Amino acid sequence: MDRFLELLRTPYGPFLPWIGVLMTLSAILVMEREWGLTAAEKTRSTLEVEWAQARQALAYHKEAKRAKLDLRQVWEVLPAERDFAPLALGVTEEAKRDHVTLPALSYKTEPTPVANTTKGVLQGSMSGRYEDLRRFLYDIETAEELLFIEDLNLVGSASQPNQALTFNIKIVTYLRGDAAAAVTPGS
């Protein structure tokens, strides 16, 4: 204890308690940094990972919602299976308006891998002048119904410009089943 009192009487002696306090505070600061700040940084990095996961889940959710709306729009556009025969009749009526003959247009349905949907196929031969056939094909492709010309093959060519051309045509649409109305997304 005498040694300590002797140290306090030296010219730098009054600074010794303050140096002790400063060293104690420095030690506390180092310990706080090691324990407190490190823990806070770990918590922050964990929260950042969770935030990134939440943002990704939100992006997936928004994409799924958009896909659901798109699917609903497609379902609304697809004709029902019961409307396939009238649709085939409409195609033949359009051909008549465009002066195209469809003598034997057959129609059938085929299963698809998508539940409650079938593929409606209209196929046969068609004949007419080039201009009439072109107008008919344009009318088919721009119809309100989803009709796709899947195959078109020239059978006979005309040697003169005003003679009729004959094509084999395959027109396809997709039909929703009657059960699809109950399963329609968003219902």
Side-chain angles (χ1 to χ4, degrees):
M1 180 85 169
D2 290 336
R3 176 129 169 98
F4 180 70
L5 291 174
E6 199 174 301
L7 271 173
L8 286 176
R9 289 186 200 138
T10 61
Y12 55 86
F15 294 111
L16 286 178
W18 293 110
I19 290 173
V21 170
L22 183 65
M23 289 183 76
T24 305
L25 289 176
S26 295
I28 291 172
L29 182 65
V30 168
M31 287 190 311
E32 178 61 30
R33 174 160 173 77
E34 288 300 315
W35 295 331
L37 189 59
T38 304
E41 285 176 350
K42 285 180 184 178
T43 303
R44 185 181 130 238
S45 65
T46 303
L47 290 174
E48 284 178 347
V49 168
E50 290 175 2
W51 180 71
Q53 290 172 342
R55 283 186 56 99
Q56 188 175 27
L58 178 65
Y60 287 149
H61 177 71
K62 285 181 178 180
E63 186 64 31
K65 193 173 182 178
R66 262 191 305 261
K68 189 175 180 181
L69 290 173
D70 291 346
L71 183 58
R72 183 183 304 148
Q73 289 175 343
V74 170
W75 276 117
E76 290 172 359
V77 172
L78 290 179
E81 278 186 41
R82 67 180 179 275
D83 297 332
F84 184 48
L87 182 66
L89 184 61
V91 169
T92 56
E93 292 297 320
E94 186 65 39
K96 285 180 188 176
R97 277 193 297 275
D98 292 331
H99 307 292
V100 172
T101 57
L102 288 168
L105 185 67
S106 65
Y107 60 96
K108 64 179 180 178
T109 58
E110 298 173 354
T112 64
V114 179
N116 296 319
T117 60
T118 55
K119 182 178 181 179
V121 179
L122 304 164
Q123 65 187 85
S125 63
M126 65 176 190
S127 299
R129 294 180 324 134
Y130 172 77
E131 297 82 18
D132 297 335
L133 292 169
R134 184 174 174 206
R135 184 173 44 253
F136 172 67
L137 293 176
Y138 176 78
D139 290 344
I140 292 295
E141 289 184 336
T142 59
E144 287 182 20
E145 298 85 8
L146 287 177
L147 296 172
F148 307 101
I149 298 173
E150 191 171 273
D151 195 16
L152 183 66
N153 296 318
L154 180 63
V155 176
S157 63
S159 58
Q160 294 182 348
N162 289 335
Q163 286 187 336
L165 297 171
T166 303
F167 286 89
N168 285 331
I169 189 168
K170 184 176 183 182
I171 303 169
V172 174
T173 189
Y174 291 90
L175 309 166
R176 63 183 150 90
D178 294 329
V183 183
T184 300
S187 296

